[in-house]
Amino acid sequence: MSLGDNPHIILGRIRFLIECIECFRHNKPLPEALCFVPKEVCYKICKDSSFSSTSCSSATSTGSSTAGKTIISVWECPSQSLPSKKLLKFNIEAKKGTCIRATGEEYCNTYGLWVKLNKEQLEEHKSGLDVEEGWILVCKHAEGGDRLVPVESQERVQRQGQLFGYDYNPYTRWEQVVDAQCCLHLGSKPRVAQQDDVAVQKLRYVPPTWTFECDEDLVHYFYDHIGKEDEDLGSIKQYVESIDVSSCSEDPNGGAWCMTDGDTDTYWESDGAQGQHWIRLRMKKGTVLKKLILTLDTTDDNYMPKRIAVYGGEGDNLKKLSDVHVDERLVGEVCVLEDMTAHLPVIEIRIVECRGEGIDVRIRGIKIKSSRERDLGLNADMFQSPNLVRYPRLEGTDSEVLYRRALVIQRFISLLDGLLPHLVPAWDYTLGTFNHLKHIKQFLLLSKRRSALITQCLKDSETSKPDFMPRLYINRRLAMEHRDNPSLDPSCKHAVFIQVYEGLKPSDKNEKMLDYRWPVSYDQWWECKFISEGIIDQGGGFRDSLADMSEELCPSSAECPVPLPFLTRTSNLGTGEARDRYVPNPSCREFHKYEWIGQLMGAALRGKEFLVLALPGIVWKQLMGEEVSWSKDFPAVDSVLVKLLEAMESMDKETFEFKFGSELTYTTLLSDGGVVELSPGCSSTVVKYEDRKEFIRLVQKARLEESREQIAAMQAGLLKVVPQAVLDLLTWQELEKKVCGDPEITVEALKRLTRYEDLEHSEVRVQYLWEALTNFTNEDRSRFLRFVTGRSRLPAPIYIFPDKQGTETTDALPQSSTCSSTLFLPNYPSAKVCEEKLRYAAYNCVAIDTDMSPWEE
């Protein structure tokens, strides 16, 4: 939906967007314009020159050709697989150039894309049928061959031209209908084709029990089921046999698979001579390229391609097909090849030149559009009940209803994507964003535009890296003593958090505070010297300090005391998904330190490091500026209180007086154990049965706002580092993941991030390692990751070397270097020994010991 610079179209669509958002929020039928389906569409046969005619010889395919005629089968209903002949109604023999009239109602399943014919349209081909509708197959899913394409009937064009004039061309697409109805038009208003009322009402239908949360669940379900492609070829696997590259950097995050994983935060990075970098695609037979698209990012600086040439052919006999100069301001996709007419077995993308005479290159994604591709959109079969087990709110809803609701959501996202650049402000944390976006945050998961906008906002707000790196002297032995018994040091001055905070204060009035908005390539914010531990900090010590600070703020073990006063444990210890979570301490007034926590969170979002904070969703939502509710969000803080107040509201007077008597007063406990008055001077006033609902309202208000000031300080710090626009484009779950990393550490993910030096992945000691890690719990793997890399969350690269013993078997403990993310793996006699030694090292080997003096420069 291209808007151009027409303000009437932009404003009209924004008004329409607001109307749609209100319909979603209040469970009302969506506007008819968004659900528009034309009453009539004409189709004709389109031959696919890249496939032989035998590919469509079956009567069950789109069409088969005999003596200048095309046979098109009409079915009782769309089938998920090869249709049964019992469902066949009759065959249409279409002569060359003949148009077939159908309704605009489409249906896509695993077999292909179908369109419906009504009774009148069926009668044109066979009279006397006792059926109200029939279905024809437009094209098979992900297959080549002939297909039906929509066209404008020549007879209809002539007839309408005689009636309305030769410029008559009614709007038949829903996007056009939105503009016709909602935008200001100078002159006569555009005509809209007649709509299919039945199909429109199907799309507008809202089940009686449907809620906005159901729409959010549907978005998450759809998001979880798209883009789940082959690990190596990703979204291009149906067109490409294999993908090869000229070279790869040593960083496991920079492999060729990163170009097809659908994640623009990852990239392939070369490691070779300047101008000698290439990507070679071996295409599947019959694939004819219509578009070859690369995803690039100007934030990659000298790694960004400046000039790209594409060659194609067979074997080594390749000819130049295109030569593209890339705009240096580009963030997003660039088409490097289009409109090929024949199949080419090999496509080679050559990076001729990088920006600023850069040596190596980064490519963040490859996409292909081919004549084999069928843009079928959603698949109705994905909404079958067995797939919905993780979404109980959706389970009882008919799959047809879910499919059509998802279709409408997809249209809404298309509308939103076209408007996003107009709704999001430039970098200035004092500005707000289009206010309605906060109501549809979860819908943004399906947006195709926001990733590039987020990248651009972060780039525009970036500052240059500091002139010097602060050097901090940290005594971790004193910090560990404080962690074991915080009461010995009420000031917490020995905690790593406080040592780092004090160490970063400017030493004189001319020295500037760190602003944390430096480029993502600046991945070490300060240098650590750990007293009584030998270390040359090349990143490992810094990452260790962040991990120590995270552990002090939110101890991972419920049995450990909380060594800092800034966060306090919730009441849900050891129960449910929200167990072992922390909220800002309502009684702590050190707002400058809360603001610094927010700045560190912003720095983690912008960079590659993590600050692992176990905060419940209610805190993340408030940091984002989102609304929170008692029933949805507060159970993560105190589920017992939520249930108690629910029971209190519904109980009878006798039960109320029996349970509470005269002991219930207008006070409540906060998360830190403090007692607060719910109404001034009423701390000793007994709550009467008649006033219980007012008491419940006051408790809910007090608890929801208990950490308001502390969260506001954290948010202020976060907004000093990250533009408000970025927070407006992220969901709270995404913010948590970007700040804290991925809490799920699978063996498969670790394998993808691991590289071997002087070892083969097939060696016995390596197999023992993976067997041991498979037996680890998620917490064990997190500890192992920190032992090797200094990080406790993914992604984090791992390099494995043999230890100094070489091939000799041993039961020595493994060694690691967090600065280089290296594990020196001994040759253990069994997987069990390997598991025991790794687990012991992960939990007990924290200090960094070498033979050098800890004070040596």
Side-chain angles (χ1 to χ4, degrees), residues 369-383:
K369 292 189 177 181
S370 162
S371 61
R372 293 188 63 175
E373 182 176 16
R374 299 291 182 263
D375 185 14
L376 301 182
L378 287 165
N379 184 337
D381 298 333
M382 66 190 286
F383 298 105

Side-chain angles (χ1 to χ4, degrees), residues 157-158 160-171 188 190-191:
V157 171
Q158 291 175 355
Q160 299 293 353
Q162 292 171 354
L163 291 173
F164 302 107
Y166 291 102
D167 60 344
Y168 177 81
N169 191 15
Y171 285 177
S188 59
R191 292 184 176 88

Side-chain angles (χ1 to χ4, degrees), residues 17-60:
L17 186 75
I18 293 172
E19 182 183 353
C20 293
I21 291 172
E22 291 305 304
C23 290
F24 276 120
R25 290 183 64 201
H26 298 103
N27 311 315
K28 296 179 180 178
L30 287 153
E32 285 192 354
L34 187 70
C35 304
F36 178 80
V37 177
K39 188 173 184 178
E40 181 180 306
V41 177
C42 292
Y43 290 88
K44 72 173 184 179
I45 292 289
C46 177
K47 299 292 183 181
D48 192 335
S49 59
S50 64
F51 283 79
S52 64
S53 59
T54 57
S55 62
C56 291
S57 59
S58 171
T60 59

Side-chain angles (χ1 to χ4, degrees), residues 166-180:
Y166 291 102
D167 60 344
Y168 177 81
N169 191 15
Y171 285 177
T172 58
R173 301 200 320 271
W174 69 267
E175 300 98 320
Q176 296 173 319
V177 177
V178 168
D179 291 343

Side-chain angles (χ1 to χ4, degrees), residues 7-17 178-179 182-184 419:
H8 301 301
I9 294 179
I10 294 171
L11 292 174
R13 291 189 182 183
I14 289 175
R15 286 193 295 268
F16 185 75
L17 186 75
V178 168
D179 291 343
C182 300
C183 302
L184 180 64
L419 292 169

Side-chain angles (χ1 to χ4, degrees), residues 444-471:
L444 290 172
L445 289 170
L446 299 177
S447 170
K448 297 178 181 178
R449 295 289 298 275
R450 70 178 181 130
S451 179
L453 282 171
I454 290 171
T455 302
Q456 191 64 58
C457 287
L458 291 174
K459 179 65 177 177
D460 291 346
S461 60
E462 197 174 88
T463 59
S464 58
K465 63 183 183 181
D467 296 329
F468 70 96
M469 183 183 295
R471 176 175 293 179

Side-chain angles (χ1 to χ4, degrees), residues 486-697:
S487 61
L488 297 177
D489 178 21
S491 68
C492 305
K493 64 179 181 292
H494 294 315
V496 173
F497 179 92
I498 300 299
Q499 291 185 63
V500 173
Y501 178 81
E502 295 296 332
L504 291 176
K505 284 184 176 179
S507 56
D508 60 67
K509 62 180 181 181
N510 295 321
E511 189 178 332
K512 292 183 179 180
M513 295 284 288
L514 298 177
D515 68 9
Y516 302 95
R517 287 194 279 122
W518 40 68
V520 67
S521 57
Y522 186 74
D523 56 2
Q524 183 174 350
W525 311 339
W526 56 76
E527 179 185 353
C528 284
K529 293 286 187 179
F530 292 128
I531 297 173
S532 300
E533 300 177 58
I535 179 176
I536 300 175
D537 187 7
Q538 295 178 336
F542 159 68
R543 290 194 294 271
D544 266 356
S545 69
L546 275 182
D548 286 333
M549 291 161 62
S550 299
E551 185 64 23
E552 289 175 345
L553 288 166
C554 301
S556 54
S557 171
E559 299 174 359
C560 296
V562 183
L564 292 172
F566 311 116
L567 299 172
T568 185
R569 286 190 175 101
T570 67
S571 303
N572 293 339
L573 294 181
T575 59
E577 291 183 4
R579 65 186 182 276
D580 303 332
R581 297 284 176 167
Y582 296 78
V583 293
N585 188 344
S587 61
C588 183
R589 316 300 293 176
E590 296 187 64
F591 297 118
H592 51 290
K593 291 189 174 70
Y594 282 111
E595 187 171 311
W596 186 56
I597 293 172
Q599 287 180 287
L600 292 176
M601 293 168 73
L605 185 152
R606 297 186 77 103
K608 299 177 181 178
E609 304 307 324
F610 302 125
L611 186 70
V612 183
L613 301 176
L615 308 175
I618 191 171
V619 176
W620 293 107
K621 281 187 175 182
Q622 291 177 86
L623 287 171
M624 303 280 281
E626 294 183 33
E627 295 177 358
V628 296
S629 73
W630 177 262
S631 58
K632 285 175 60 177
D633 300 310
F634 204 77
V637 178
D638 193 339
S639 58
V640 173
L641 178 62
V642 172
K643 293 175 182 177
L644 175 64
L645 294 184
E646 285 178 358
M648 182 186 296
E649 186 173 9
S650 60
M651 67 177 52
D652 57 42
K653 186 174 183 179
E654 184 180 354
T655 305
F656 179 86
E657 291 178 349
F658 174 77
K659 283 184 173 292
F660 302 109
S662 60
E663 296 179 0
L664 186 64
T665 61
Y666 283 89
T667 59
T668 189
L669 277 174
L670 302 182
S671 291
D672 63 342
V675 178
V676 63
E677 277 187 336
L678 298 177
S679 186
C682 295
S683 59
S684 58
T685 303
V686 176
V687 179
K688 298 179 180 179
Y689 175 76
E690 296 77 14
D691 301 325
R692 73 190 189 286
K693 291 187 178 180
E694 176 63 12
F695 170 78
I696 291 170
R697 185 188 69 79

Side-chain angles (χ1 to χ4, degrees), residues 216 437-442 444 617-629 632-633 715 724 727-735:
E216 291 183 325
L437 274 185
K438 67 182 181 183
H439 299 305
I440 52 163
K441 279 292 189 74
Q442 302 303 318
L444 290 172
I618 191 171
V619 176
W620 293 107
K621 281 187 175 182
Q622 291 177 86
L623 287 171
M624 303 280 281
E626 294 183 33
E627 295 177 358
V628 296
S629 73
K632 285 175 60 177
D633 300 310
Q715 184 186 48
Q724 177 68 54
L727 299 185
D728 292 330
L729 290 169
L730 292 172
T731 65
W732 70 262
Q733 296 96 328
E734 290 175 312
L735 175 64

